Amino acid sequence: MSAPRYDVLAIGNAIVDVMSPCADDLIEELGMARGGMTLIDTARAHELYDAMGPAREVSGGSAANTLAGLSALGLQCAFIGQVAQDQLGEVFAHDIRAVGIDFDTPARVADASTGRCLIFVSPDGQRTMNTYLGASQFLPAAALDDATVASAAVLYLEGYLWDPEEPRAAMKKAIAAARNAGRKVAFTLSDAFVISRHGDDFRALIEAGQIDILFANAAELAALTGEDDFEAGLAALAPSVPVLVVTRSEHGAVAVSGGARVEVAAEPVDAVVDTTGAGDLFAAGFLAGHVRGASLQQSLAMGAVAAGEIISHYGARPEADLKALMAQRFG
């Protein structure tokens, strides 16, 4: 097997996050699902944007956030995702390339605009996300080059993008290319609502041995396994996945691989400002350790450090020096 050109190549939604702090009663007034992620159409996007206070715009998207963390940790990364030929598309492309990630997917020239996620951040840092997928849901399989996918040590896939038909086909093509090349496939379940729609697909991928590393949170684990008890869910899923990583918010995280189980506590922070991207950066820290041959314990701890950094400020992209944080923590 040839040496990989990239450490991680990810396929995901190309989205610009629009974030604004809000009072708890606004969440209820607008009929949003507090702490969840809801797909919205153009009309709802305009309604919610009009209700927002002063906002910050920063490139986001779950898999792209993970790559930003990986790049900050010194890994070579590439991203495949669909933007439109518009201002937000230019913002997204500039931001992801500016942090050293290769991004060559041509912009779509059509009626759908670049995707955006309207994020309402409650006083306790909880984020309520409303996502207009826009152009990202039209990522075609033709945008993938099998040789590029095969050149990455790890293919990382975002569960959110499994929902639309075109990118689902693209990701299936990418899985085949990665496995044919003997590369690893990592998958993040993204949200319980995605599992409610496509859980059978995900379970089939797992049972067929198509996923090497699976990321979930406690709610997603319950949704995928049908087990409300955390330990029962872990026991049901772990034997089917070579590496299973499950985050538990303030209760830390658990990883199981080859029968070995490790746990870490949540990294202490002065204040939880915004939980947007916590899972994404946890995956970045873990994958950085995993790709470099770190132990399961250290990889999990690296995930906790990266997640701790991201929840200490607004936005889902790192602001502190992640390399320095890791050096302080691990030497």
Side-chain angles (χ1 to χ4, degrees):
M1 188 188 304
S2 61
R5 174 185 177 189
Y6 296 112
D7 295 304
V8 180
L9 178 145
I11 303 176
N13 281 311
I15 285 178
V16 176
D17 290 338
V18 182
M19 294 168 292
S20 176
C22 74
D24 283 325
D25 56 3
L26 183 61
I27 303 292
E28 184 174 351
E29 179 185 330
L30 291 171
M32 295 186 289
R34 188 180 192 279
M37 199 289 284
T38 304
L39 292 176
I40 58 174
D41 59 17
T42 304
R44 179 67 165 163
H46 286 305
E47 176 191 359
L48 296 181
Y49 185 73
D50 289 344
M52 278 184 142
R56 287 180 57 189
E57 293 183 354
V58 59
S59 294
S62 176
N65 293 337
T66 296
L67 289 189
L70 284 163
S71 184
L73 288 167
L75 279 74
Q76 296 298 308
C77 302
F79 179 73
I80 297 172
Q82 188 68 66
V83 297
Q85 201 171 71
D86 57 18
Q87 184 177 1
L88 285 183
E90 291 176 3
V91 168
F92 181 91
H94 170 270
D95 286 356
I96 200 164
R97 291 169 181 152
V99 295
I101 298 166
D102 285 356
F103 174 56
D104 299 319
T105 310
R108 176 182 167 88
V109 183
D111 52 351
S113 56
T114 296
R116 73 226 40 196
C117 184
L118 306 178
I119 304 173
F120 292 75
V121 184
S122 304
D124 64 354
Q126 185 65 263
R127 81 282 187 273
T128 299
M129 302 186 295
N130 304 270
T131 303
Y132 168 66
L133 292 173
S136 66
Q137 65 190 311
F138 300 110
L139 175 71
L144 271 69
D145 174 64
D146 286 357
T148 301
V149 174
S151 72
V154 176
L155 169 68
Y156 181 73
L157 303 174
E158 174 186 330
Y160 283 133
L161 200 57
W162 198 265
D163 202 54
E165 183 177 350
E166 277 192 88
R168 190 186 322 138
M171 288 195 284
K172 288 179 178 178
K173 178 184 177 186
I175 290 171
R179 300 213 70 82
N180 288 339
R183 306 303 193 185
K184 290 185 178 180
V185 176
F187 195 97
T188 177
L189 291 170
S190 294
D191 197 284
F193 97 86
V194 181
I195 299 167
S196 71
R197 294 167 64 92
H198 303 288
D200 287 345
D201 280 357
F202 300 158
R203 285 182 282 269
L205 287 172
I206 291 166
E207 290 304 319
Q210 300 295 293
I211 296 175
D212 300 290
I213 307 168
L214 182 67
F215 292 95
N217 62 27
E220 293 155 9
L221 176 69
L224 189 68
T225 63
E227 299 283 358
D228 290 333
D229 178 76
F230 179 79
E231 293 299 330
L234 208 62
L237 187 56
S240 301
V241 185
V243 181
L244 174 63
V245 181
V246 185
T247 57
R248 307 182 73 185
S249 300
E250 70 273 17
H251 301 299
V254 177
V256 183
S257 179
R261 170 177 171 155
V262 298
E263 299 186 34
V264 295
E267 199 71 9
V269 296
D270 292 336
V272 177
V273 176
D274 174 18
T275 57
T276 307
D280 305 334
L281 268 293
F282 197 103
F286 183 91
L287 286 173
H290 181 84
V291 168
R292 289 172 167 166
S295 68
L296 191 64
Q297 181 76 48
Q298 181 169 334
S299 295
L300 201 65
M302 289 174 68
V305 170
E309 190 281 334
I310 217 69
I311 64 175
S312 67
H313 58 78
Y314 278 111
R317 301 286 173 93
E319 292 185 355
D321 185 335
L322 287 186
K323 284 185 181 178
L325 289 178
M326 296 299 176
Q328 291 169 12
R329 183 73 158 73
F330 304 107

